[in-house]
Amino acid sequence: MTKSKRTTAAPPSPPVLGPRALNRATLARQLLLSRSPMSATAAVEHLVGLQAQNVKPPYHALAARLDGFTPDDLSRPMADREIVRIVTLRSTIHTHTAEDCLTLRPLVQPARDRELHQFRAGLAGVDLDRLAAKARALVEEEPRTMKELREALLEDWPDADPQALSVAARCKLPLVQVTPRGLWGRSGQVRLTTAEHWLGRPAEPAPDPDGTALRYLAAFGPASVKDMQTWAGLTRLRDAFERLRPRLVTFRDESGAELFDLPDAPRPDPGTPAPPRFLPEFDNLLLSHADRTRVVPPELKGRHWQGNIAYRTLLVDGVLAGLWRPDDDALVIEPFGPLDRARRAEITEEAERMLAVLHPGEAYDIRFGTVRDTWDGIG
């Protein structure tokens, strides 16, 4: 009598999430399916910062996401040093809570070190530790412009490349932009000091990448390892996801890439309506995934960029559908395709709401135009 062999059933394949399912899940995390009642500070924390290459984008980003938002809701905590502007993710300026400023900057320091390595030719003979100490003393004595800092550093290293000295100071030190820079309607020249000096407390140890991965998924998931690496500007995050795997659920996208997510995070039905939204240039929704097809249709790839310039974007039905710009006393909307009367009415209503939030009492025309291949600028 022969014994039958036991066979082990293969584990079930992870469910596949198409672009629309990923879109609705990400919009829900990004507070873009319906506006949230949370405070501006809570939203900045939940979103793990807001892109802030320019002054106005964080305000536009929150106007699109929060119910009852006013510009003072962000300016006030910035003036009170509860929110700051600092170079962090992807080597770009972000608006972060004070707590995230003191922890996320140490987390992304390896990326700042890699950036600094690119300027090594212009830093020949420069003692970087001594440079960091001098730069710290200068900006903590009083906030300095980058020009002032660069000129002071050139006194010690006259043969160095001036730009490289600036980059070295920015990479070695957590430099924040002090107010009034960043305040709505009051923004001044960029002046810098250290985060520790501005906030009155020392930097924290770099956070566990596992915890940051959980926060990333809460704000941008479901997502792949490459997606988070794109968002953070870091590499080698696979180990963090593998450690977290028992606490996560997994999916696949249509190309077969593995996606991780929090078990209880919102994943709305793909048919959930997504109202129009006006987003600022550099909004993190469009920058925080390696595969951006969940928001940017493949045929529109690159249409919201020109060189290093990002345009303000319009979402219709949750995806990129056009650009917008202020033009004197008008808001000009440039859709990428035809819009029926109902869509135009929805977009106009959202534009009126945004203008009422950010420019109360001011009269603006709302005009629809046709997208050109290039724009002269972003307004």
Side-chain angles (χ1 to χ4, degrees):
M1 182 175 179
T2 59
K3 295 182 179 180
S4 60
K5 294 182 179 180
R6 290 186 178 182
T7 58
T8 302
S13 299
V16 174
L17 297 178
R20 191 175 178 90
L22 290 172
N23 174 270
R24 293 311 193 252
T26 306
L27 291 180
R29 321 290 171 89
Q30 285 285 302
L31 316 178
L32 289 168
L33 272 187
S34 61
R35 286 186 170 86
S36 170
M38 68 174 59
S39 69
T41 300
V44 171
E45 179 182 14
H46 166 71
L47 297 168
V48 205
L50 299 170
Q51 262 273 8
Q53 292 293 90
N54 299 319
V55 169
K56 292 182 180 179
Y59 294 89
H60 285 287
L62 293 179
R65 290 168 164 89
L66 300 183
D67 186 30
F69 174 75
T70 68
D72 189 58
D73 293 336
L74 181 59
S75 286
R76 186 175 59 256
M78 290 186 70
D80 291 341
R81 308 190 187 190
E82 297 169 7
I83 292 177
V84 298
R85 294 164 55 86
I86 183 172
V87 173
T88 53
L89 307 167
R90 303 183 300 280
S91 192
T92 57
I93 300 167
H94 276 67
T95 296
H96 286 295
T97 64
E99 289 72 20
D100 280 348
C101 166
L102 293 170
T103 56
L104 283 177
R105 174 53 194 254
L107 176 71
V108 301
Q109 186 58 43
R112 302 291 71 73
D113 294 338
R114 289 199 306 273
E115 180 185 4
L116 183 56
H117 187 68
Q118 299 171 14
F119 290 83
R120 61 188 182 279
L123 294 168
V126 175
D127 183 326
L128 293 178
D129 290 336
R130 184 171 148 231
L131 178 147
K134 176 167 184 175
R136 180 181 290 276
L138 287 165
V139 299
E140 291 186 351
E141 179 184 49
E142 63 175 315
R144 312 269 180 164
T145 67
M146 190 57 80
K147 180 176 182 292
E148 291 169 344
L149 182 58
R150 181 168 55 245
E151 289 175 349
L153 294 174
L154 278 170
E155 293 177 3
D156 283 26
W157 296 282
D159 297 328
D161 176 68
Q163 182 187 5
L165 291 174
S166 299
V167 171
R170 190 188 71 173
C171 289
K172 295 289 286 185
L173 297 176
L175 297 177
V176 300
Q177 298 183 359
V178 306
T179 53
R181 181 69 177 178
L183 303 185
W184 185 258
R186 297 173 50 203
S187 188
Q189 192 175 21
V190 175
R191 290 188 172 275
L192 305 163
T193 190
T194 62
E196 300 95 331
H197 185 71
W198 185 245
L199 298 174
R201 47 194 162 124
E204 301 289 337
D208 185 335
D210 300 18
T212 306
L214 295 174
R215 292 186 64 193
Y216 170 74
L217 292 175
F220 295 96
S224 68
V225 176
K226 285 185 178 180
D227 286 332
M228 183 178 171
Q229 291 179 163
T230 295
W231 167 78
L234 296 173
T235 58
R236 302 177 182 176
L237 293 179
R238 166 64 66 178
D239 288 348
F241 281 87
E242 292 302 331
R243 287 191 296 269
L244 291 168
R245 187 181 288 275
R247 300 169 56 184
L248 302 175
V249 293
T250 58
F251 302 92
R252 296 278 178 183
D253 66 16
E254 290 184 340
S255 67
E258 185 177 37
L259 306 174
F260 295 86
D261 205 7
L262 306 175
D264 299 327
R267 288 181 289 275
D269 185 281
T272 303
R277 292 290 186 260
F278 288 86
L279 299 182
E281 63 270 31
F282 303 111
D283 194 280
N284 274 346
L285 175 71
L286 283 78
L287 297 174
S288 300
H289 299 88
D291 180 357
R292 298 169 185 172
T293 55
R294 68 182 70 193
V295 179
V296 181
E299 66 273 16
L300 296 179
K301 181 179 179 181
R303 293 294 297 275
H304 62 297
W305 288 90
Q306 183 179 351
N308 292 325
I309 295 175
Y311 299 130
R312 302 173 181 92
T313 54
L314 168 67
L315 300 185
V316 175
D317 195 25
V319 299
L320 176 67
L323 311 176
W324 65 275
R325 58 186 169 88
D327 185 7
D328 295 328
D329 58 353
L331 177 69
V332 180
I333 301 166
E334 306 280 5
F336 288 139
L339 299 169
D340 61 27
R341 183 176 298 179
R343 284 291 191 203
R344 283 185 176 237
E346 291 176 348
I347 294 168
T348 299
E349 181 180 359
E350 177 66 14
E352 290 172 343
R353 184 195 180 283
M354 176 185 69
L355 293 170
V357 168
L358 297 176
H359 305 282
E362 299 181 31
Y364 279 83
D365 290 331
I366 297 173
R367 300 200 302 260
F368 287 84
T370 302
V371 168
R372 300 192 294 270
D373 290 336
T374 61
W375 279 5
D376 295 330
I378 58 176

